[in-house]
């Protein structure tokens, strides 16, 4: 059985909340502890609170932090966060990364917010990559907030492992015209342009875009894939492997008093098939996966005394372009050296779409500094077309969508949530809340939440929390259908239930000095009804006996772990972060009788980094990560007891501020070109075939502001 939820993860260290202000100003290492470590956020409780006072683990990166550290995109910025890893592969630049939070991998397990509002909700109707974080232009990000743990008590479905809030600049903050460009190895280019203006006292406008392209990974340098060169002649119409990727992102933001309008469009075009020799699909220079997401958010907020009212309307559209395709080996033998057997490939075109409308009313009442109440109601309408079986030709969307292979799915969700925060006892703040959701596709859900924040002393804070969550089954899992009758197919399962989760966490924050902090966090996550693939034997399809797989609620998972991290100032102009993280994850198969252990894993990581300002115009940021692990699985004896050998990843970024308008930067990722999690070990972390991690990356660029 191929697990939909692998049991292992690499846990990563934390980014220091340190950086430098904009051009020519004093280094951010001179900021006091309040601004250095205790930013304010709204995504945890829908109220403005400091990071220290919210009942959850939170990491906040400001625009200065993102700029100082030389990150290339938001995924790059999150790699150094505690308990987070990204399963990168040769398709990662255009969105092929899979996010992992504390042992739970999957891009569909996080709730994504733009300026505090849910977006990308149409994407959860598809089985596809989550490329939004890769394509978002960093030049327009004011703040990145990551709230760990379940958020379903406020945000509903899919806020299982984390809530990610991207806060953008408004026109006044992005004042003027900004141009940026970079060039790197493998023909990689990344360009961005933006314009911001304060139109009048209450009105501002910001427009921006990012455009990315790369030739992709050089697979021939990897011994595991070099031998497949000889097979190219048997791939129809293919002379080279086209591993190129491209993406673009457009952003429009308008503010006028209490009214806000945000529109974002994210699109990518990448290789659709894994690398190497595959028995089912051929790697071909014409295989492309072309997808886009459009999100429009309208928000009107007004205050009536201490009561704040917010009305939000979100429109989301996801499209998998009908020209997306595989080359499917319908009859041939991909492992054969006989050209006749290797030439039986046929086009396998794909199409899919999802649409969602989200209407939400939120009320925030502050009765006193010690008592506040948050409540709201949500109405959602979802409809879409799951990916169909492999099609012989592209769907003609201009002629309607009446093809027999397509399923049109529509459902609604209605939610009510309420949360109260009490602070009457000295030093103790209590958060209690929950959300009820009624969905026309599956049973109703209720997700409660309890959090405690206690100031043991002025320099020490204790946090404890318990929260529940649920993950809605994707319509792509429910209605999947692919393959060839009489051979092997993917079957639908309309009886899929939501995945249920519960999480407990305890953390201690201690300020060692006015400029440094030590944080210890321990957590336990449990998940029931995990979705995995099960075998289907002897199914009759079109009069032919067919074997295959389908998704089913089969597994139970337990993840226990913690991390210890330090952030702070070591000297004038020098800040540092260091962490050690450990995770033990166990997945148990519960279908069809007594539970049998499927997999058990242990993963560890050490992380260290510096932000150094030797002079006011120069920033240097070296980062080192050491990772290793062990895993056992009763299902696949090849990987039973496999040990992930230690890997050392070294990144380096440098920036020169020539003046208050022009900056030059140099960025290097995985400079040692370490091949980690390759071949067999990769299977411990992924559902896919063996695809190498991203190799060495070097790029140079500049940014100019008019």
């Amino acid at each position: 059985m191929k697990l939909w939820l692998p049991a292992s993860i690499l846990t990563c260290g934390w980014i220091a909340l340190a950086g430098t202000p904009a051009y020519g100003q004093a280094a951010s290492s001179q900021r006091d502890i309040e601004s250095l470590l205790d930013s304010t956020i709204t995504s945890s409780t829908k109220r403005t609170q400091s990071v220290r006072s919210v009942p959850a683990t939170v990491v906040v990166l400001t625009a200065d932090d993102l700029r100082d550290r030389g990150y290339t995109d938001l995924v790059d910025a999150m790699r150094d966060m505690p308990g987070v890893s990204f399963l990168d592969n040769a398709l990662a630049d255009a969105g092929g990364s899979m996010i992992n939070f504390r042992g739970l991998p999957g891009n569909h397990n996080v709730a994504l917010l733009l300026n505090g509002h849910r977006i990308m909700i149409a994407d959860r109707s598809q089985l596809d990559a989550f490329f939004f974080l890769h394509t978002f232009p960093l030049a327009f990000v004011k703040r990145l907030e990551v709230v760990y743990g379940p958020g379903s008590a406020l945000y509903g479905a899919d806020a299982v492992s984390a809530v990610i809030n991207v806060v953008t600049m408004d026109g006044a903050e992005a004042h003027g015209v900004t141009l940026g460009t970079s060039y790197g190895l493998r023909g990689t280019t990344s360009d961005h342009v933006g314009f911001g203006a304060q139109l009048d006292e209450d009105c501002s406008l910001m427009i921006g875009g990012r455009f990315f392209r790369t030739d992709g990974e050089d697979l021939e340098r990897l011994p595991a894939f070099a031998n497949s060169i000889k097979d190219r002649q048997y791939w129809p119409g293919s002379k080279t492997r086209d591993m190129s990727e491209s993406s673009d992102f457009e952003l429009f933001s308008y503010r006028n008093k209490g009214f806000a309008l945000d529109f974002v469009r994210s699109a990518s075009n990448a290789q659709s098939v894994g690398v190497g020799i595959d028995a089912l699909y051929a790697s071909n220079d014409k295989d492309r996966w072309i997808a886009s997401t459009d999100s429009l958010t309208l928000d009107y907020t007004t205050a009536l005394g201490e009561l704040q009212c917010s009305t939000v309307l979100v429109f989301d559209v996801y499209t998998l372009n009908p020209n997306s395709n595989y080359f499917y080996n319908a009859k041939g033998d991909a492992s054969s050296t006989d050209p006749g057997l290797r030439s039986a490939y046929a086009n396998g075109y794909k199409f899919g779409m999802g649409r969602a409308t989200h209407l939400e009313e939120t009320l925030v009442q502050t009765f006193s500094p010690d008592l506040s109440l948050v409540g709201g109601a949500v109405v959602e309408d979802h409809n879409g077309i799951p990916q169909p079986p492999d099609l012989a030709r592209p769907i003609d969307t201009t002629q309607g969508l009446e093809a027999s292979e397509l399923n049109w799915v529509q459902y609604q969700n209605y939610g009510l949530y309420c949360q109260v925060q009490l602070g009457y006892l000295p030093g103790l703040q209590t958060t209690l809340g929950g959300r009820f959701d009624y969905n026309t596709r599956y049973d109703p859900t209720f997700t409660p939440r309890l959090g405690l924040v206690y100031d043991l002393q002025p320099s020490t804070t204790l946090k404890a929390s318990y929260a529940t969550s649920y993950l809605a089954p994707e319509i792509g899992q429910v209605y999947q259908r692919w393959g060839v009758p009489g051979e092997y197919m993917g079957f639908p399962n309309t009886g899929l239930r939501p995945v249920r989760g519960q999480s407990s966490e305890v953390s201690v924050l201690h300020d060692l000095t006015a400029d440094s902090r030590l944080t210890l966090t321990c957590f336990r996550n449990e998940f029931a009804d995990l979705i995995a693939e099960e075998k289907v034997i002897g199914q009759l399809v079109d009069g032919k006996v067919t074997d295959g797989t389908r998704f089913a609620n089969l597994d139970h998972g337990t993840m226990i772990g913690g991390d210890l991290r330090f952030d702070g100032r070591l000297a004038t102009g020098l800040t540092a972060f260091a962490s050690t993280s450990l995770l033990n994850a166990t997945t148990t198969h519960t279908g069809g009788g007594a539970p049998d252990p499927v997999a058990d894993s242990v993963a560890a990581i050490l992380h260290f980094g510096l932000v150094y300002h030797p002079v006011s115009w120069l920033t240097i940021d070296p980062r080192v990560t050491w990772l290793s692990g062990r895993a056992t699985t009763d299902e696949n004896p090849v990987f039973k007891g496999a040990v992930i050998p230690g890997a050392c990843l070294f990144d380096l970024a440098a920036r020169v501020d020539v003046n208050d308008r022009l900056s030059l930067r140099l960025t290097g990722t995985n400079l040692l070109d370490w091949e980690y999690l390759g071949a067999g070990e990769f299977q411990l972390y992924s559902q896919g075939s063996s695809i190498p991690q991203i190799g060495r990356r070097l790029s140079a660029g500049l940014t100019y502001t008019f």
Side-chain angles (χ1 to χ4, degrees):
M1 183 187 69
K2 178 180 166 186
L3 287 179
W4 175 247
L5 177 68
S8 51
I9 186 178
L10 296 179
T11 52
C12 295
W14 192 58
I15 274 185
L17 300 180
T20 58
Y23 317 93
Q25 298 181 11
S28 65
S29 59
Q30 305 303 319
R31 290 185 289 178
D32 59 20
I33 190 67
E34 188 69 24
S35 60
L36 184 66
L37 300 174
D38 284 321
S39 303
T40 59
I41 66 167
T42 59
S43 50
S44 177
T45 60
K46 295 204 172 187
R47 293 180 59 242
T48 301
Q49 291 184 265
S50 70
V51 169
R52 190 179 194 119
S53 65
V54 298
T57 296
V58 181
V59 174
V60 177
L61 298 178
T62 67
D64 290 332
D65 300 325
L66 297 171
R67 183 170 173 269
D68 276 355
R69 303 180 72 78
Y71 294 130
T72 57
D73 54 45
L74 291 176
V75 169
D76 195 22
M78 294 174 61
R79 295 182 198 278
D80 295 329
M81 294 184 180
V84 179
S85 67
F86 284 87
L87 187 61
D88 296 318
N89 55 46
L91 314 179
D93 288 316
S97 294
M98 182 169 65
I99 307 171
N100 296 259
F101 277 92
R102 292 179 170 176
L104 186 63
N107 301 326
H108 50 290
N109 296 316
V110 300
L112 183 62
L113 314 182
L114 180 66
N115 296 318
H117 308 307
R118 284 290 301 264
I119 62 169
M120 303 286 285
I121 50 179
D123 275 13
R124 70 178 188 231
S125 64
Q126 304 291 332
L127 288 171
D128 202 356
F130 189 38
F131 51 81
F132 181 88
L133 295 175
H134 268 290
T135 57
F136 202 105
L138 287 184
F140 314 126
V141 177
K142 177 181 179 180
R143 189 170 65 252
L144 174 65
E145 305 172 359
V146 178
V147 182
Y148 288 67
S152 292
L154 288 176
Y155 297 104
D158 312 329
V160 176
S161 55
V163 175
I164 302 173
N165 184 26
V166 181
V167 181
T168 62
M169 299 178 182
D170 59 26
E173 293 164 330
H175 183 71
V177 177
T178 299
L179 299 175
T181 185
S182 67
Y183 182 82
L185 296 180
R186 304 293 301 160
T188 301
T189 61
S190 179
D191 306 304
H192 70 266
V193 58
F195 168 75
Q198 184 79 40
L199 302 181
D200 59 36
E201 183 179 353
D202 301 313
C203 181
S204 67
L205 174 70
M206 197 265 284
I207 304 172
R210 177 181 185 241
F211 312 95
F212 175 89
R213 191 192 181 282
T214 181
D215 292 338
E217 285 293 300
D218 179 11
L219 302 178
E220 316 307 342
R221 68 184 179 84
L222 302 173
F225 305 100
N227 292 334
S228 62
I229 298 175
K230 63 180 182 295
D231 298 304
R232 284 181 181 169
Q233 59 183 312
Y234 307 129
W235 295 338
S238 178
K239 296 181 180 180
T240 61
R241 284 193 185 121
D242 180 10
M243 298 302 295
S244 66
E245 308 157 22
S246 62
S247 66
D248 62 84
F249 191 101
E250 292 82 39
L251 169 66
F252 178 89
S253 178
Y254 175 78
R255 302 285 185 271
N256 192 343
K257 290 186 178 180
F259 175 75
L261 182 152
D262 291 305
F263 173 77
V264 293
R265 173 179 173 80
S266 179
S268 70
N269 184 329
Q271 233 318 329
S272 60
V273 176
V275 297
I277 303 174
D278 191 293
L280 194 60
Y281 292 101
S283 183
N284 185 283
D285 61 352
K286 297 181 180 180
D287 296 340
R288 308 306 298 173
W289 196 257
I290 311 168
S292 64
T293 293
D294 299 85
S295 292
L296 174 64
T297 302
L298 305 172
D299 174 22
Y300 181 72
T301 301
T302 186
L304 302 173
E306 296 299 324
L307 176 64
Q308 179 176 291
C309 307
S310 177
T311 303
V312 178
L313 182 62
V314 180
F315 298 97
D316 257 7
V317 178
Y318 168 86
T319 304
L320 177 61
N321 189 290
N323 290 311
S324 301
N325 75 305
Y326 296 96
F327 276 80
Y328 180 69
N329 184 14
K331 298 178 182 180
D333 181 1
S335 62
S336 174
T337 57
D338 185 342
L341 294 178
R342 288 194 55 83
S343 62
Y345 289 97
N347 281 318
Y349 287 95
K350 290 292 186 179
F351 173 73
M353 64 171 293
R355 298 172 181 166
T357 303
H358 173 101
L359 176 62
E360 180 173 358
E361 182 71 25
T362 302
L363 304 176
V364 179
Q365 175 69 58
T366 302
F367 296 99
S368 71
D370 297 320
L371 177 61
S372 64
L373 182 67
V374 176
V378 178
V379 177
E380 291 180 340
D381 179 78
H382 297 260
N383 58 77
I385 299 175
Q387 296 173 26
D390 297 309
L391 304 174
R393 60 184 181 278
I395 290 286
D396 186 354
T397 57
T398 64
Q399 301 299 317
L401 301 174
E402 302 298 330
S404 60
E405 298 93 343
L406 302 181
N407 289 310
W408 181 268
V409 180
Q410 185 169 16
Y411 64 97
Q412 292 76 40
N413 189 85
Y414 309 93
L416 292 172
Y417 59 87
C418 183
Q419 174 185 272
V420 62
Q421 288 190 289
L422 303 170
Y424 287 118
L425 296 178
L428 177 65
Q429 178 181 271
T430 302
T431 301
L432 178 63
R435 172 166 166 154
F436 175 81
D437 283 278
Y438 174 79
N439 193 287
T440 58
R441 209 160 51 95
Y442 45 80
D443 292 338
T445 58
F446 177 66
T447 49
R449 173 192 192 186
L450 173 64
L452 302 174
V453 178
Y454 182 54
D455 293 326
L456 298 173
Q457 52 187 354
S459 61
T460 306
T461 299
L462 173 67
K463 295 184 181 183
S465 64
Y466 170 82
T468 58
S469 61
Y470 75 99
L471 172 66
E474 301 175 3
I475 63 173
Q477 297 169 326
V478 176
Y479 297 100
Q480 75 161 358
R481 180 181 170 88
W482 51 266
V484 178
E487 297 185 19
Y488 200 81
M489 293 187 63
F491 295 101
N493 181 3
T494 57
L496 274 181
R497 303 182 301 276
V499 176
R500 310 282 181 155
Q502 55 182 340
S503 175
S504 302
E505 178 183 320
V506 176
S507 61
V508 179
L509 292 73
H510 179 66
D511 296 334
L512 300 174
T513 67
D515 303 315
S516 61
R517 174 175 295 173
L518 192 66
T519 304
L520 174 65
T521 302
C522 300
F523 64 87
R524 177 186 176 91
N525 299 328
E526 290 194 46
F527 299 96
D529 288 334
L530 290 172
I531 297 175
E533 287 187 351
E534 68 174 355
K535 294 180 180 178
V536 177
I537 305 297
Q539 187 83 13
L540 194 63
V541 181
D542 297 336
K544 300 178 181 179
V545 178
T546 307
D547 297 338
T549 64
R550 69 171 186 172
F551 289 104
N553 298 101
L554 296 176
D555 298 335
H556 174 88
T558 301
M559 295 83 179
I560 301 174
D563 46 69
L564 177 67
R565 61 187 186 271
F566 164 85
D567 348 42
R569 184 186 309 141
L570 300 181
T572 301
L574 179 63
T575 58
F577 60 95
S579 68
T580 177
S581 300
L582 181 68
L583 173 77
N584 183 39
T586 301
T587 302
T588 303
H589 178 57
T590 57
D596 295 317
V598 174
D600 179 80
S601 64
V602 176
I605 191 165
L606 298 175
H607 202 93
F608 178 77
L610 298 171
V611 175
Y612 181 43
H613 305 278
V615 290
S616 61
W617 49 267
L618 176 63
T619 303
I620 301 174
D621 171 40
R623 304 189 301 275
V624 178
T625 298
W626 174 266
L627 53 89
S628 62
R630 171 188 60 79
T632 60
T633 170
D634 291 344
E635 184 176 287
N636 192 336
V638 175
F639 307 120
K640 187 172 183 178
V643 175
I644 311 293
C648 182
L649 310 179
F650 177 63
D651 301 338
L652 179 64
R655 188 188 79 245
V656 175
D657 295 328
V658 178
N659 52 45
D660 60 353
R661 294 182 179 273
L662 176 63
S663 291
L664 308 177
R665 64 185 183 277
L666 179 66
T667 303
T669 303
N670 192 13
L671 292 175
L672 301 180
D673 203 20
W674 205 290
E675 288 182 39
Y676 63 105
L677 298 187
E681 295 87 352
F682 186 89
Q683 301 291 340
L684 305 174
Y685 292 86
S686 173
Q687 352 169 31
S689 59
S690 297
I691 304 177
Q693 302 290 287
I694 292 176
R696 180 188 295 118
R697 297 291 174 92
L698 288 173
S699 66
L702 61 85
T703 300
Y704 189 81
T705 302
F706 294 91

